[in-house]
Amino acid sequence: MILTVTLNTALDVTHHVPKLIAHTTHRVTAVTERPGGKGLNVARVLAALGHEVTATGFAGGRTGAVVRELLADSPQVTDALVPCAGTTRRTLAVVDEASGDTTQFNEPGPQISSAEWAEFLARYEALLAGAGAVALCGSLPPGVPVGAYAVLVRAARAAGVPALLDTSGEALRRGVAARPEMIKPNAAELAELTGSREPLQATRDARRRGAHAVVTSLGPGGLLAATAQGTWQAAPPRALTGNPTGAGDSAVAGLLSALTEGLDWPARLTRAVALSAATVHAPTAGDFDPRTYEQVRGSVTLTVHEGAGAARPLISPSRARAGRD
């Protein structure tokens, strides 16, 4: 079982409009509602890949009830969310069909009491006993200590469970110091953590801060990974247009699923990049387009970095996928 943690769960509402124009009224052509928050997106992709998943975090109020009702429609995802007195947040995405761009509005989340946080910790530690890996994802709702992810990483390490941390800001800085198995920031989050805007240097700097591996999202440039086994960059064959919401979460699912399956780093990165690209072509976060996934997986470019400013091609796409995925 793979455990996903979404402390700030959400009801993701996506509106599609023909063209988004400021200061005007819009006629919505389509609306979708999905259980959201980064960890729940990860959980759905993991389930689609055939993994047994348990999802925990907080859910409360009428919005939380809708999230849990919709989550029940994902049969391979077990609901282990902890009730809270506050109301689960909503996120609103508006997709401009003319340009393909998405505008996002994220609410802050419910206030979590100390008693609710203690109840969550007890649930989390119990769930770790049956987990092969854990994804710790997203923002912290009000009331949760800023060092929460550091606490969760340490608990995972004590239980012998590899933890992947995907958050930002001070929560990321403290979480890295607890030595997670992997972190997956984007370029802006990495620059904030390390003070460096050069991705290769920043990725290696972040690893020296405590993470065993650092995988950085470079948008259309794919993923850059600094690990104990080496440093690689994996990139899709071309930039894809569509809705990028949830693409990073699909990359997390790819990395974590490949880790639990014992795949090597080139195969992990190939899967993660292909899933991320396939999510851009999907209509909602937490989904991916299977055809795009297979097409991109067969043509990911992998490069090994031997030092700052030095790189060479690693392996061909066909060898990257042969016998590993």
Side-chain angles (χ1 to χ4, degrees):
M1 178 267 286
I2 298 178
L3 178 62
T4 69
V5 173
T6 315
L7 296 176
N8 209 3
T9 55
L11 178 65
D12 284 346
V13 182
T14 303
H15 287 183
H16 290 255
V17 298
K19 185 175 179 62
L20 184 62
I21 304 172
H23 313 300
T24 64
T25 299
H26 296 78
R27 186 174 296 277
V28 176
T29 58
V31 180
T32 58
E33 291 185 342
R34 299 291 297 271
K38 295 177 72 64
L40 290 184
N41 292 337
V42 171
R44 282 199 302 275
V45 175
L46 285 170
L49 292 171
H51 287 269
E52 180 186 351
V53 188
T54 297
T56 190
F58 294 102
R62 285 185 291 179
T63 308
V66 174
V67 167
R68 301 188 80 160
E69 180 181 329
L70 294 172
L71 194 60
D73 292 332
S74 301
Q76 287 181 279
V77 179
T78 299
D79 177 355
L81 295 170
V82 174
C84 63
T87 298
T88 295
R89 67 186 177 131
R90 296 162 297 176
T91 66
L92 175 62
V94 181
V95 178
D96 182 332
E97 295 176 337
S99 67
D101 292 336
T102 301
T103 301
Q104 192 90 10
F105 302 88
N106 294 338
E107 296 177 356
Q111 182 75 31
I112 302 300
S113 69
S114 57
E116 289 166 344
W117 174 239
E119 181 181 354
F120 168 80
L121 285 177
R123 175 77 60 90
Y124 172 74
E125 290 177 357
L127 290 169
L128 283 174
V134 58
L136 307 170
C137 302
S139 61
L140 301 178
V144 171
V146 71
Y149 282 131
V151 172
L152 301 186
V153 169
R154 292 189 191 101
R157 288 182 56 223
V161 178
L164 188 158
L165 176 60
D166 184 13
T167 188
S168 60
E170 184 65 13
L172 174 60
R173 189 183 71 80
R174 297 197 187 193
V176 169
R179 299 170 55 202
E181 180 70 23
M182 197 185 318
I183 63 171
K184 197 212 69 62
N186 61 33
E189 293 162 348
L190 187 67
E192 182 182 5
L193 175 67
T194 65
S196 173
R197 295 195 172 276
E198 200 291 304
L200 184 58
Q201 177 182 333
T203 299
R204 288 171 170 163
D205 285 350
R207 185 166 177 266
R208 285 191 286 268
R209 290 170 181 260
H212 292 275
V214 178
V215 182
T216 304
S217 295
L218 302 177
L223 298 173
L224 177 63
T227 79
Q229 289 74 42
T231 302
W232 292 271
Q233 182 170 347
R238 64 189 184 282
L240 298 175
T241 59
N243 181 2
T245 305
D249 304 331
S250 291
V252 168
L255 292 167
L256 208 57
S257 63
L259 169 68
T260 61
E261 293 169 28
L263 304 187
D264 64 14
W265 273 105
R268 295 182 200 181
L269 295 170
T270 296
R271 178 182 292 182
V273 166
L275 282 171
S276 182
T279 298
V280 173
H281 270 198
T284 56
D287 286 332
F288 65 91
D289 181 73
R291 177 179 293 184
T292 302
Y293 171 62
E294 292 298 334
Q295 290 173 343
V296 175
R297 189 166 64 100
S299 54
V300 169
T301 299
L302 280 157
T303 303
V304 60
H305 290 268
E306 298 170 318
R312 62 178 175 81
L314 177 66
I315 50 178
S316 67
S318 59
R319 286 182 59 200
R321 68 179 188 273
R324 291 179 180 158
D325 204 347

